[in-house]
Amino acid sequence: MDPAVGERPTAGARLSRRGLFGIAGLGGAAAGLAAGFLGHDAVAASAAPPAADSPVVPFHGDHQAGITTPAQDRLHMAAFDVTTTKRDELIQLLKDWTRAAEALTEGRPAGATGAVDGPYGAPPEDTGEALDLNAGKLTLTFGFGAGLFEKDGVPRFGLDGRRPEALIDLPHFPGDDLDPARSGGDLVVQACADDPQVAVHAIRNLARIGFGKVRVRWSQLGFGRTSSTTRAQQTPRNLFGFKDGTNNLKVEDDQLLDQHVWATAGRPEDAWLAGGSYLVARRIRMHIETWDRTSLGEQEGLIGRTKGTGAPLSGGEEFTEPDFTRQGKGGKPLIPLDSHMRMAHPSQNSGVRMLRRGYNYTDGSDGVGHLDAGLFFIAFVTDPRSHYVPMQMAMAKGDTLAVEYLKHTGSGLFAVPGGVKPGGFIGDGLFA
Amino acid sequence: MPGFTLPKNARVPGTKIASLAAAVVAVPLILTGCTDNTKAPDTAGGAIDVVSSNSECKVSATSVPSGNLTFSVKNEGTEVTEFYLLAADGLRILGEVENIGPGLSRNLVVTAPAGTYTTACKPGMEGDGIRAALEVTPSGNQRPADADFQHLLDTATTQYASYVKDQGEQLLTGTEQFAAAFAAGDAATARGLYAATRQHWERIEPVAESFGDLDPQLDAREADLEPGQEWTGWHRAEKDLFPPAGYTALTAAERSAIADRMVADTKDLVERTRTLEISADMLGNGAKELLDEVATGKVTGEEEIWSHTDLWDFQANVDGARIAFENLKPALQQKDAALAASLDEKFAALQAELATHAQGAAFTSYDKLTPEQVQRLASLVDALGEPLSRLTAAVVL
């Protein structure tokens, strides 16, 4: 066992030592307590949803948290290259990450002795910057890239034949300007939290645990969730100032989630994907400065909605169903044929939907004084071949917003295993 | 109206969308032309509320002081509506806002001197609309109407149409020479003609882009392609003439095919520009879009990734924008002299910086620029682009 992680301590000990998550933390603490008393199986799969104001999102379940979890405000995502060639070391890493994730998502520090309770002569096991903070609704969601299964056509880690067919190499989309240093990766970890320090703390400690076995390939900070994943949330705005995610799939859409988000394990060897999904990550740079010089009328025409209320240009309120047939002056459609909203709408994409979970990002400015900013697009889909590639291909060609004001600079596709059962570890089905 | 105002739509093959944007911006050009130079909203009571239903057109005021009038039009009906401000004769349109979907609100800003006007909502966009009189009282802060304003705009568009035709013809001549050299395998001659000929294209890029089928055939970059798409045009030739490491050269037959296609497509382009109808807002938006092209493609060196002749394109885009601005300048000086002066100054500053990288007609290779030099250029582009984005509204609204 990697000493940086340690055995999962009993919930009681943890609670008394940290003692900081207070009333709001009881949901998570109670779940941990139950696990301690009743054994792991008793709370498998169905960890009760936390109280609305609880800062703890349960880590265990049929699905990984961080997919249908109401979108938190902040993101830190990191992709890793696996540097070890040993299957045992990879499995141990996934176990260590699981134990750490269990702790971190409950607001506890990584490692048995955390940030301040270890030997005076040794570096602390937890980096400490999340002391005094609660769990912040932290979720950690793990995914496997194609590179975990094979590199240069050669299978790795004894995973011969286990690469899911849907874990494709994404094609080149028109206009792509992908930076290899911001693309790909064998493993990905999405950390979402309401506090950026909590999200950064989580990725930092996972990276630290992984040193020697994995190397961070790229990471991305995000702020201002750009979509809603529950009807209780107000639709947020992207950096173009428009509401984003009005028509997104929501956690309330059970049947649609089954149809469009959760992966189906087609082959017996893909059974580990049951309850999982595919995560598409795209770093989409926005040409903010030229957008800001565009007239309001043109902005709205490019989006297909009003900037104020987010109503479709065919009329109504934000959640009014758009009427793509409604015509304006000269018989032209009120919602332009090349508008972003029309191009992305399920009616234009064989009924395909996706659960988007993107974030605004700003990585400072580029060398010429323009904001290096945009949308870090994240979507969960049942199969990227049907649910991402055709739509993105169409939009890269025909969505004028995308053609003129966006540039994709990073890309990743990952198979997200189903949820972790207490006592299990991330993706354990794949290594069974 | 062709897509000149909206080259944003132009890269969508097979679609020609006179978008809402055009509808909103392209208010009729028969304007009063008289206004104070400050452009400050001077409607005493703020916006004039207009509520359009299927059967009514409620205007919140019957009398307002002259100057910039803002009508805030809300469609409370079930049909698409539009709103007009008409002259006393009920025919001459001073301003309009179209395509207001049910439940939506949209603003119309017009400059109106004292006089009697007619307002009209047009639910369903048919008929004469639901009309009412609006009295505009003298507020004493405007110059008298300038009857020549429309003439200034007409002159501007006529001059620009001539410019587009001239550039198109020079583009064709240059393309024929380039294509002949390229097809013949005379790479040195073709390389020498490449950037100079493309300048004619880049000067009228929004016009060229408005023809959605021709633009990708002539100007697609390799990164713009979708899998399986045939790659033709300037940048296909560029890669062959300025080959990256490991590149396999085109065969003579392939070069000939590309050369022939470029000439044919350019002829087609020139033919189409002859019948292009140009309006004042097309000039204003075209100028802004040329600067946008500079900001996103040329200043970053992405347009000419093998030849590194981005500064030639840069200069040509600036030329095109400056010609459009200068054609509009007499009209702009009447409406907003301060903006005209600011644009003059910003164009001059950018041109002076560009000139430091020129030797005669030639320009420094983009890959030889230092980061500081690129920064200076980018900063001047932004300094110009921001006021330039206000040109259309200043002249047309």
Side-chain angles (χ1 to χ4, degrees), chain A residues 57 64-72 137 139 229-230 233 251 357:
Chain A
V57 179
Q64 290 197 55
I67 301 174
T68 57
T69 306
Q72 301 94 322
K137 294 195 175 140
T139 55
T229 52
T230 165
Q233 291 179 307
V251 66
R357 225 175 180 285

Side-chain angles (χ1 to χ4, degrees), chain B residues 72-126:
Chain B
S72 175
V73 186
K74 171 92 195 279
N75 181 7
E76 291 191 350
T78 55
E79 299 190 88
V80 181
T81 196
E82 51 194 7
F83 174 78
Y84 289 85
L85 182 68
L86 303 154
D89 63 7
L91 295 173
R92 195 158 61 95
I93 300 168
L94 297 159
E96 66 180 320
V97 53
E98 300 173 327
N99 291 336
I100 311 174
L104 304 189
S105 297
R106 205 157 281 155
N107 284 356
L108 169 67
V109 182
V110 284
T111 306
T116 303
Y117 295 82
T118 300
T119 56
C121 298
K122 215 184 267 191
M125 301 180 295
E126 288 178 342

Side-chain angles (χ1 to χ4, degrees), chain A residues 255-331:
Chain A
Q255 285 190 325
L256 291 174
L257 294 177
D258 285 340
Q259 200 180 338
H260 297 294
V261 176
W262 305 124
T264 47
R267 308 179 304 167
E269 55 267 46
D270 295 341
W272 60 277
L273 263 169
S277 187
Y278 288 89
L279 186 163
V280 183
R282 303 280 291 181
R283 185 176 183 272
I284 306 175
R285 171 93 186 258
M286 291 173 160
H287 295 308
I288 305 272
E289 289 77 13
T290 54
W291 174 263
D292 292 344
R293 294 171 201 153
T294 303
S295 71
L296 179 60
E298 185 165 349
Q299 289 185 4
E300 291 192 347
L302 289 165
I303 300 290
R305 294 183 179 276
T306 66
K307 195 166 191 174
T309 65
L313 294 181
S314 52
E317 311 285 335
E318 182 191 347
F319 293 102
T320 305
E321 195 62 24
D323 180 354
F324 293 114
T325 64
R326 189 145 207 168
Q327 294 179 346
K329 202 75 173 174

